[in-house]
Amino acid sequence: MKKYLLAIAASFTMTAVHAQCCDSLSCDVNPADNLAQKSLKSQKSGVFRNLDLSVTAGTTGIGIDVASKLGDYVQLRAGYEFTPHFQMSVYFPVEVGGQPAKAYDANGNRIESTFDRLSKMLKEMTGFQVDDEVEMLGKPTLNNFKFMVDVFPFKKNKHWHFTAGFYWGPSKFAEAENSTKAMTSLLAVSMYNQIYEKCVKVEPIIYIEGDGTDENPGINLHIPRPYAMKIINYGRMGFHVGDKKDTGERYDMEPDPEDNMVKVQARSNSFKPYLGFGYGGRLIKNRDDWHVSFDAGAMFWGGTPDLITHDGTNLTKDVENISGKVGDWVDFIGGVKVYPVLSVRFTKTIF
């Protein structure tokens, strides 16, 4: 009888142990089902267990990124963003010999200026009309690869996340160059400055090189000495921007002698760290595969951005006392050492 009782007890004990082991390992009677459950559990708890595809839009432009979770609290994201091109106008006033193109009397009435007299003479000599200001068209060129690490610190609230990463791309993030409309004026300014240099060198016969086209074949001019003396007294023609910080001298920008254009490039470091935070949730009710999130943070330029003209002058570091709208833009760009990042991200879970 004792043997039977011991056998029954042993049988119940083995059954309980087997059930406990199966429960802890999520096994089943069917070995194939048990293997499938183990594989599914491994996928859910392993690294790169999902793939999200997103479309983004914000102050850094529009773009796409892909993301995958490393666990319950960390997500990796990588993508590319670019800024659509749009243009904004900035005007540089023309000056002659340090005098503004427009002059006014004590009552505020417009009077003839040195520029007006020189413009008439230049029209007679070359046939080109010089405007009293030159239009510059500025446009953003920001485009970057990005790599981000999102951390979800709250166990019971996965809506909030904190992000650290970096943007990497070309150092040039904006540029400006003269409009097509301004080309005639710039060409006339370049031609006048060539005439001025020849007059200073006492060369009565002046040949101004062209580019071989019918519009600009080159000009042979004979400048009588009285006219030459007037030109010398007028001085060079250019665009007064400001004063050089190191010497205090005037900085007058002139067209590039190679292409008769005026250009400015905005540059920063290619590598730009990023810190920020965000909040996200479902985009569609009862759908876990569509999400929307909003991010805010800062892209660190790594110092003051540079505004480099075609002659190599850095407007943010080498020039001061820049007036007008040009000065406002230089002050604004030079003061932005940290670029604000605001974006919205629409996400579809692929698997």
Side-chain angles (χ1 to χ4, degrees), residues 157-161 277-281 292-296:
N157 186 344
K158 298 300 183 181
H159 295 291
W160 290 98
H161 62 268
F277 65 94
Y279 182 88
V292 61
S293 61
F294 301 90
D295 287 81

Side-chain angles (χ1 to χ4, degrees), residues 173-187:
F173 63 89
E175 64 182 5
E177 62 181 29
N178 58 268
S179 64
T180 304
K181 179 183 177 182
M183 283 300 301
T184 301
S185 294
L186 291 174
L187 178 60

Side-chain angles (χ1 to χ4, degrees), residues 19 29 52 68 85 99 132 136-137 140 176 179 209 258 298 316 343:
V29 177
D52 290 342
S68 184
H85 289 177
Q99 299 298 318
D132 56 14
M136 298 282 290
L137 298 178
S179 64
E209 294 183 2
E258 294 185 0
T316 58
S343 65

Side-chain angles (χ1 to χ4, degrees), residues 121 223-231 233:
M121 185 179 70
I223 307 296
R225 196 60 193 162
Y227 279 100
M229 293 306 298
K230 283 186 178 181
I231 291 174
N233 291 331

